[in-house]
Amino acid sequence: MDFALVDMMRHMVAALAAGAVIGTERSFHGRAAGFRTHALVGLASSILMIVATSQGSWFPSSGDAVRIDPTRMAQGIMTGIGFLGAGVIFKEGLTVRGLTTAASIWTTAAIGVLMGIGLYLPGAVATVLALGILSVFRQIELRFPTHMYARHAIRFDRGAVMPEPDVRKLLSEHGFKAANVSYHLSDDGDVIEYRMAIRTVKSDNLRRLAEALAALPAVRGFTIEPSAD
């Protein structure tokens, strides 16, 4: 078998393996763009770079008739991957999901480019670093004191509505701050509902607030929907 062909196959397999390893971590956390998506991104990036770097063998030319600039292919790859990354980002209420997966797809494409031009060691190091960011850094991030947000609605009978200042005081006592409060009256005119975004720094406060609201006779119903990044 031709040595150049073997070398190309080695580039493709290395890029595919790097993408598959990164994609495994994404699949483990239940992301839509996981094992197969990342493997395909790595493989495709490698193939495109092989096309660019081996242009002399499939498009022969004499003199300076054709100038080869493989970096233009790399730029095109990274631009195209932006569309794929945008496809995994979506907004659900107050929550924006998929940003990390989009970044991992973009990183996988870059690693595929490294493998495609034969820089195996930098590609392998980049793969390890990417996995470290997705797994080890995830554990570090979970220990950061960060704000947690939730969508909150609380309903009262029209004749026994808790004043808004009292609602805010109750939330404050349980470690929450409220914002964007809106007011709603049911179609039959019997129920008044407050809707708002609430913020806290402790996840356990969500449970404590739910228990407190459930114990209040005046509360006809409520919802607390956490929204994480």
Side-chain angles (χ1 to χ4, degrees):
M1 184 179 293
D2 184 75
F3 176 76
L5 181 58
V6 173
D7 197 43
M8 291 179 186
M9 292 173 62
R10 186 163 57 244
H11 292 190
M12 289 187 289
V13 170
L16 188 153
V21 170
I22 296 173
T24 299
E25 194 279 341
R26 293 286 82 194
S27 290
F28 178 76
H29 289 98
R31 300 301 186 261
F35 178 76
R36 292 183 300 168
T37 301
H38 284 74
L40 287 171
V41 167
L43 176 60
S45 300
S46 176
I47 292 171
L48 292 173
M49 285 309 300
I50 290 172
V51 170
T53 56
S54 63
Q55 184 174 338
S57 63
W58 58 266
F59 188 67
S61 61
S62 59
D64 293 332
V66 176
R67 295 183 181 274
I68 300 175
D69 184 8
T71 60
R72 295 180 63 184
M73 178 62 77
Q75 293 169 4
I77 292 171
M78 302 313 292
T79 300
I81 288 299
F83 291 96
L84 181 59
V88 300
I89 301 174
F90 62 95
K91 187 174 185 294
E92 182 182 359
L94 300 178
T95 303
V96 177
R97 300 184 183 276
L99 291 171
T100 301
T101 299
S104 70
I105 290 175
W106 196 61
T107 302
T108 301
I111 293 172
V113 170
L114 287 176
M115 298 299 190
I117 61 178
L119 297 179
Y120 297 122
L121 182 57
V125 172
T127 302
V128 173
L129 291 176
L131 285 173
I133 292 170
L134 291 171
S135 56
V136 178
F137 280 27
R138 177 186 179 86
Q139 300 305 316
I140 297 175
E141 186 179 41
L142 290 175
R143 289 170 172 77
F144 286 165
T146 57
H147 286 138
M148 294 186 61
Y149 294 86
R151 288 173 290 182
H152 178 44
I154 181 170
R155 293 174 289 278
F156 300 94
D157 287 325
R158 187 170 184 175
V161 180
M162 180 183 291
E164 182 185 337
D166 292 346
V167 173
R168 289 182 177 272
K169 181 180 178 181
L170 175 65
L171 293 171
S172 178
E173 289 173 350
H174 289 84
F176 288 92
K177 290 186 176 181
N180 302 325
V181 180
S182 61
Y183 315 91
H184 301 265
L185 179 66
S186 63
D187 293 338
D188 58 13
D190 292 336
V191 177
I192 292 180
E193 178 179 81
Y194 296 123
R195 296 179 187 173
M196 65 197 78
I198 56 177
R199 184 187 72 190
T200 184
V201 293
K202 294 182 180 180
S203 59
D204 193 52
N205 287 345
L206 296 171
R207 177 187 56 80
R208 292 176 56 245
L209 176 61
E211 292 174 349
L213 292 175
L216 290 176
V219 176
R220 181 164 179 174
F222 68 88
T223 57
I224 302 174
E225 300 180 10
S227 55
D229 289 339

